Amino acid sequence: MAIYSIWSLSFFLVFASMAWAATYTVSEKYVGQDFLNGFTVQNIADPTHGRVNYVNAATAASDNLTFASSTNFVARADFTTVLDPNGPGRNSVRLMSNKQYGISSVLVANLNHMPEGCGTWPAFWTVGDQGDDWPNSGEIDIIEGVNNVGTNQGTLHTSPGCTMPASRAETGTALQSDCDTAVNGNAGCGVSFNDARSFGPTFNSNGGGWYAMELTGDFIKIWFWPRGTSVPSDVSSDSSSIDTDNWGTPVAYFPNTSCSLTSHFGPQNIIINLTFCGDWAGAVYPSSGCPSTCVDYVNNNPAEFENAYFDFLSLTAYT
Ligand SMILES: *[C@@H]1O[C@H](CO)[C@@H](O)[C@H](O)[C@H]1NC(C)=O
Ligand SMILES: *[C@@H]1O[C@H](CO)[C@@H](O)[C@H](O)[C@H]1NC(C)=O
Ligand SMILES: *[C@@H]1O[C@H](CO)[C@@H](O)[C@H](O)[C@H]1NC(C)=O
């Protein structure tokens, strides 16, 4: 019977592969104003001790630290104010998505620009459960780096019991294997990108590009395609459906070999933030080639932060 054979064939295919789907359809697409509707501007303290003052949504809008057009969304830090050394840090924004994206989801960000400058520590990342029970629901850093130095780093931060094999199918360079936040001052299990265009001034002068992250029960993958290079057509066309099997070797590959991803990663909120100095950018500032001390530089040189902004063309979430 034809119908019976189709059923048995599909059951066979499903159970024979036991793989997570590589095809996804769009769940949310954020462009321009959608970022302000779909994200919350959070005026909270920076847990990583940055020289930052995260403002609320009204101040962000009136000071033009958030700006939406029909095609672009910009989030930036203040670049006009000399700070009182005894007062709060530099005004900046932290945005968290209202929706969560869990196992079996993909995020694709198309950016023209990311924050640059000595003392800057920009990040585009996800965290489980709004960060409330951190690190039990996991953290996935997609874009992160400091002080204009080097390339991008993709990193997982988890509760104990999650490590990454040394050798894996990725184009980036694996750093620490243990993802546990308690190990080595919360370094996490990172992968350093090899393409200079993946971060900071070089990313910006190249016109940005696309970052993508896929979260499944089998693996987490991060890809980066610089503007002007060969980009999968479903990514460059912002297609309503995607097939990650066609995207090639990722820059960062985190398999579930010695880490149950389904138990270390809960539904993730997306976070876009820009802080200054603090635990990472401040700690490595003296070896960054940047002038003065981090805090003095951030306090006294507002004009140096005119390029400390994210400019998103789109952020698309697929499930
Ligand atoms: C901002 O981003 C950095 C880098 O990921 C992160 O470590 C820090 O905790 C963030 N600050 C806030 C308030 O989320
Ligand atoms: C607000 O920011 C946007 C994006 O950077 C810029 O195009 C616009 O001119 C700014 N508006 C004002 C009033 O400064
Ligand atoms: C990895 O994923 C596979 C397939 O989903 C699953 O069978 C296996 O138990 C997982 N391994 C770990 C350590 O979680």
Side-chain angles (χ1 to χ4, degrees):
M1 248 168 52
I3 290 176
Y4 179 77
S5 350
I6 290 168
W7 270 104
S8 23
L9 177 63
S10 39
F11 271 88
F12 171 77
L13 290 174
V14 167
F15 287 109
S17 56
M18 277 305 271
W20 298 82
T23 56
Y24 301 80
T25 54
V26 64
S27 172
E28 273 74 39
K29 181 173 171 180
Y30 303 94
V31 175
Q33 186 71 30
D34 302 332
F35 281 89
L36 293 171
N37 299 335
F39 283 68
T40 300
V41 177
Q42 300 180 290
N43 62 326
I44 59 174
D46 179 358
T48 50
H49 315 107
R51 185 70 184 133
V52 75
N53 179 44
Y54 286 126
V55 300
N56 63 25
T59 303
S62 62
D63 290 0
N64 207 30
L65 304 186
T66 53
F67 170 84
S69 72
S70 60
T71 51
N72 294 63
F73 174 70
V74 174
R76 62 157 65 250
D78 167 277
F79 61 95
T80 57
T81 311
V82 173
L83 304 182
D84 173 353
N86 301 313
R90 185 159 296 286
N91 283 359
S92 183
V93 287
R94 183 188 204 260
L95 296 128
M96 181 174 73
S97 68
N98 298 331
K99 290 210 73 163
Q100 299 183 318
Y101 303 97
I103 296 286
S104 199
S105 61
V106 177
L107 303 176
V108 179
N110 182 358
L111 293 104
N112 277 336
H113 194 278
M114 69 169 73
E116 63 173 72
C118 285
T120 60
W121 178 0
F124 170 63
W125 53 296
T126 73
V127 69
D129 195 27
Q130 307 192 358
D132 286 346
D133 70 340
W134 187 89
N136 295 323
S137 301
E139 171 181 334
I140 306 169
D141 299 332
I142 303 168
I143 300 180
E144 194 176 11
V146 294
N147 299 324
N148 287 351
V149 173
T151 55
N152 188 56
Q153 265 184 44
T155 308
L156 308 185
H157 300 269
T158 67
S159 54
C162 177
T163 61
M164 291 296 137
S167 166
R168 41 203 226 250
E170 62 190 5
T171 63
T173 304
L175 305 170
Q176 176 173 298
S177 62
D178 201 332
C179 309
D180 181 353
T181 55
V183 172
N184 196 13
N186 188 23
C189 52
V191 173
S192 173
F193 287 41
N194 293 327
D195 193 318
R197 295 169 293 186
S198 62
F199 188 73
T202 320
F203 176 88
N204 295 333
S205 60
N206 189 54
W210 291 262
Y211 268 92
M213 188 276 288
E214 180 179 14
L215 169 60
T216 76
D218 288 347
F219 57 74
I220 294 169
K221 293 179 179 176
I222 302 174
W223 290 266
F224 169 61
W225 300 278
R227 193 85 61 206
T229 61
S230 171
V231 184
S233 59
D234 48 5
V235 173
S236 59
S237 67
D238 216 351
S239 175
S240 58
S241 69
I242 52 170
D243 184 352
T244 56
D245 273 352
N246 298 330
W247 290 2
T249 306
V251 185
Y253 177 61
F254 304 98
N256 79 342
T257 325
S258 312
C259 177
S260 167
L261 298 174
T262 49
S263 58
H264 282 95
F265 289 86
Q268 303 281 301
N269 291 85
I270 307 166
I271 301 192
I272 301 165
N273 77 340
L274 167 60
T275 188
F276 300 94
C277 308
D279 294 347
W280 186 8
V284 300
Y285 192 88
S287 60
S288 65
C290 287
S292 177
T293 65
C294 195
V295 168
D296 284 350
Y297 187 78
V298 168
N299 287 350
N300 297 325
N301 300 283
E304 297 298 331
F305 301 100
E306 189 163 1
N307 289 320
Y309 67 92
F310 289 99
D311 182 355
F312 282 87
L313 286 171
S314 62
L315 169 59
T316 312
Y318 298 88
T319 54

